[in-house]
Amino acid sequence: MMDLIPAPRSITRDPRGHGRLDAQTRLEAGPGTEGIARWLRATVGAATGLPLAGPGDGEPRIRLAVDPTLPPEGYRLALGGPDQVIAGGSAAGVFWGAQTLRQLLGPDAFRRAPLRPGRHWDLPEITVEDAPRFRWRGLMLDVARHFMPKEGVLRYLDLMAAHKLNVFHFHLTDDQGWRVEIRRHPRLTGIGSWRTRTKFGHRASPLWDEKPHGGFYTQDDIREIVAYAAERHIAVVPEIDVPGHSQAAIAAYPELGNTDVASASGEERGALSVWDTWGISPHVLAPAEDTLRFYEGVFEEVLELFPSEFVHVGGDECLKDEWRASPAAQARIRELGLADEDGLQSWFIGHFDRWLSARGRRLIGWDEILEGGLAPGATVSSWRGYAGGIAAARAGHDVVMCPEQQVYLDHRQHDGPDEPVPIGYVRTLEDVYRFEPVPPELTPEEARHVLGAQANLWTEAMEDHTRVDYQAFPRLAAFAEVAWSGLPAPAERDFAGFERRMEAHYRRLDALGVGYRPPSGPRPWQRRPGVLGRPIDGPPPNR
């Protein structure tokens, strides 16, 4: 496969021929491909030192064109001779073809400046025809637990694009922080965006980082991130958690909580702070009309910032103890004619399903939104194994498969003692490569509801971007191939061939400055000796 990752559908090569790029190479952008031309000049042009000037006389040329006979995200890359042609079924297809061209130029094409100015760049005579298996090829980044500054987010969008991933699930709110400016509710960031200290390691760890931690994205930051992603044909799906995982919001606006219930922690409600440890907070939103109106205001501003088809509302790990103890919540259950607290959560999610649908958007939530009845238009992120996704698909709902036991990249990569803050099951590079998003028990009609797959990066134990890099790579490269390529059944996949291609891909990651986990194990500075994790022994369940 010419060391390409993800593996393309087909490659035809003439070993006798070759093409080249040099200072005279022209870049011709057909209608609809102007953005890809800008990207090529900014990345490949910067790395090679070649000007890639616009149309004119002479050869060689790179020609970009939209060809509607190709699949929407498919492309045909034809190299060799005077013209290097990248055609795609859409601008996105052309962009993915440009990513393949960059890989074929070699690892130095992933640098930000030329190592040897004035050189020419040889290309094989080759035709690559390719298209993705799934429309949703996602990465979830949790910036609520540990904030990632804007430059780090933009960097991860570039890394996603390099791997042909096209959905960025942006986890913006949780118990430990609120990360997006909402102008009508300024205390969400004024109070909710920072905490006084942070647990270091698993929640059972005795260690604390005693300095304040926080940060948020202004609305202009969000607009920049969304525009940057769009230039790379990546959709940004925001997540605003309701009704659980909301302690940061309640700390900022105490009236959002169940004010008629004594705090389980003994804190006065008005003194509740942004949470400084991990786990599932007992503090959840009150099922009141005022709460709905507050979050409608939040989502109105979110919709202005994010043009994405989908909006994620969380819906996971909503502890019901406060609702059980709250006279107001119990009265609400009776008023609505609901069976229990699960029905109350379903009512909460159903309200925002209808609210978003009325505005031309689609609600997506974690698979707990199945409990108490699934809202009519909802899409499910199946994280607690495959079962939630199977149930949703059989009921005619769309599904994104992201089972914790398979593609939660915060889980440890090896069972050795040097793994930094080991969390969860061992999920090796090979384990991720053998992940299959479509459960075999689904019929072909049901399987069509599987939009695709997503890898998730929860950052409780990832205090900075170097830890995120370590957990994400190289496994994200394996996940990208699963989501893009038409691979055989898991047991039949050529992992040895993938490992051989990874030898070249590690050099690309080196050029990009990615602090991946080497195959031989963590480097000394990647370890976290003495920091308690939560390893789980044995193989993970498949369901």
Side-chain angles (χ1 to χ4, degrees):
M1 291 294 184
M2 298 290 296
D3 295 331
L4 295 175
I5 290 177
R9 287 187 177 183
S10 72
I11 292 179
T12 304
R13 184 178 184 187
D14 183 346
R16 299 166 299 176
H18 72 278
R20 63 184 282 169
L21 305 183
D22 58 29
Q24 280 66 54
T25 298
R26 300 278 181 174
L27 178 55
E28 296 184 3
T33 69
E34 297 84 359
I36 296 95
R38 287 193 298 272
W39 179 85
L40 278 166
R41 291 190 179 101
T43 54
V44 174
T48 61
L50 304 179
L52 300 179
D57 296 332
E59 299 172 343
R61 294 178 298 178
I62 301 174
R63 292 196 294 114
L64 311 178
V66 173
D67 179 352
T69 67
L70 295 171
E73 287 191 273
Y75 67 88
R76 182 187 304 109
L77 175 65
L79 305 179
D83 284 356
Q84 325 304 321
V85 180
I86 309 175
S90 64
V94 178
F95 183 70
W96 305 132
Q99 293 288 353
T100 298
L101 171 67
R102 190 186 191 191
Q103 288 198 17
L104 289 168
L105 285 168
D108 288 350
F110 289 81
R111 297 187 179 274
R112 295 190 181 185
L115 301 186
R116 289 173 289 279
R119 65 177 277 201
H120 70 266
W121 295 69
D122 290 326
L123 287 165
E125 183 163 330
I126 192 172
T127 299
V128 181
E129 299 201 23
D130 201 7
R133 179 185 179 191
F134 292 112
R135 60 169 284 201
W136 187 300
R137 307 180 301 280
L139 174 69
M140 191 286 302
L141 179 63
D142 167 27
V143 296
R145 273 52 177 269
H146 278 101
F147 179 66
M148 180 177 284
K150 181 189 68 177
E151 287 302 315
V153 174
L154 299 179
R155 174 175 175 265
Y156 258 81
L157 291 170
D158 281 329
L159 291 172
M160 288 179 64
H163 293 83
K164 299 185 173 73
L165 299 174
N166 70 338
V167 178
F168 179 54
H169 177 168
F170 206 6
H171 183 78
L172 290 163
T173 74
D174 216 295
D175 299 311
Q176 296 85 3
W178 185 286
R179 305 296 180 212
V180 57
E181 178 189 19
I182 303 297
R183 289 177 176 166
R184 72 188 71 184
H185 301 306
R187 296 207 304 270
L188 286 172
T189 49
I191 293 172
S193 70
W194 67 279
R195 55 186 182 262
T196 57
R197 64 175 187 168
T198 298
K199 177 69 72 171
F200 192 30
H202 182 253
R203 61 180 175 269
S205 167
L207 303 177
W208 293 89
D209 183 346
E210 294 289 350
K211 66 177 183 291
H213 177 87
F216 67 94
Y217 309 103
T218 68
Q219 294 202 355
D220 282 346
D221 290 338
I222 293 293
R223 291 185 181 96
E224 180 184 359
I225 289 167
V226 169
Y228 195 86
E231 290 173 350
R232 287 147 184 79
H233 300 276
I234 296 171
V236 183
V237 174
E239 180 176 349
I240 306 293
D241 265 302
V242 296
H245 284 294
S246 297
Q247 183 167 327
I250 298 168
Y253 291 92
E255 63 271 21
L256 295 174
N258 296 279
T259 56
D260 58 345
V261 179
S263 169
S265 64
E267 295 174 284
E268 291 296 327
R269 174 63 61 177
L272 187 66
S273 61
V274 177
W275 217 19
D276 57 11
T277 190
W278 317 125
I280 307 173
S281 169
H283 303 297
V284 302
L285 297 176
E289 290 297 322
D290 287 347
T291 306
L292 298 182
R293 300 293 88 75
F294 183 98
Y295 272 87
E296 286 171 0
V298 169
F299 281 116
E300 283 177 4
E301 295 193 29
V302 166
L303 296 192
E304 291 173 0
L305 296 170
F306 296 92
S308 55
E309 176 185 2
F310 291 91
V311 175
H312 208 292
V313 300
D316 62 315
E317 297 180 326
C318 178
L319 299 181
K320 310 297 194 304
D321 294 341
E322 284 193 341
W323 288 350
R324 293 187 185 98
S326 164
Q330 292 301 309
R332 192 66 152 162
I333 289 172
R334 292 191 297 271
E335 174 192 342
L336 296 169
L338 303 175
D340 54 20
E341 291 76 20
D342 284 345
L344 194 57
Q345 175 167 332
S346 178
W347 165 81
F348 208 112
I349 297 300
H351 173 84
F352 286 104
D353 178 54
R354 294 186 297 274
W355 191 91
L356 288 167
S357 295
R359 289 153 181 82
R361 305 299 185 93
R362 297 180 64 185
L363 179 145
I364 183 170
W366 303 108
D367 56 49
E368 285 94 332
I369 67 174
L370 288 157
E371 297 166 4
L374 187 57
T379 296
V380 170
S381 298
S382 188
W383 77 273
R384 295 179 299 176
Y386 289 92
I390 292 169
R394 285 177 171 167
H397 290 265
D398 287 340
V399 176
V400 175
M401 285 294 185
C402 49
E404 174 186 18
Q405 304 89 341
Q406 311 299 327
V407 288
Y408 268 37
L409 300 186
D410 46 303
H411 283 214
R412 58 192 174 136
Q413 302 182 63
H414 194 273
D415 62 1
D418 290 332
E419 288 303 305
V421 199
I423 300 295
Y425 296 102
V426 173
R427 294 285 83 195
T428 66
L429 183 65
E430 181 172 0
D431 290 329
V432 174
Y433 191 68
R434 297 194 190 280
F435 163 59
E436 172 49 49
V438 179
E441 51 265 64
L442 292 181
T443 67
E445 179 62 30
E446 293 165 346
R448 279 192 278 273
H449 285 290
V450 179
L451 302 180
Q454 182 171 287
N456 294 339
L457 282 165
W458 299 102
T459 63
E460 289 95 331
M462 301 181 213
E463 71 276 12
D464 56 33
H465 84 273
T466 63
R467 282 286 290 122
V468 175
D469 277 7
Y470 181 91
Q471 294 300 133
F473 290 98
R475 293 182 296 179
L476 192 62
F479 171 82
E481 184 148 313
V482 168
W484 176 279
S485 306
L487 298 177
E492 299 168 9
R493 293 175 188 173
D494 181 11
F495 179 68
F498 176 77
E499 280 190 305
R500 286 192 295 272
R501 285 182 285 125
M502 278 300 300
E503 292 175 10
H505 201 64
Y506 285 122
R507 296 195 294 275
R508 298 179 193 126
L509 296 177
D510 287 334
L512 288 165
V514 176
Y516 58 85
R517 182 191 190 276
S520 57
R523 298 178 173 96
W525 58 87
Q526 292 174 321
R527 301 167 188 165
R528 297 291 186 277
V531 181
L532 185 67
R534 185 184 63 92
I536 302 175
D537 293 330
N542 286 325
R543 289 287 166 261

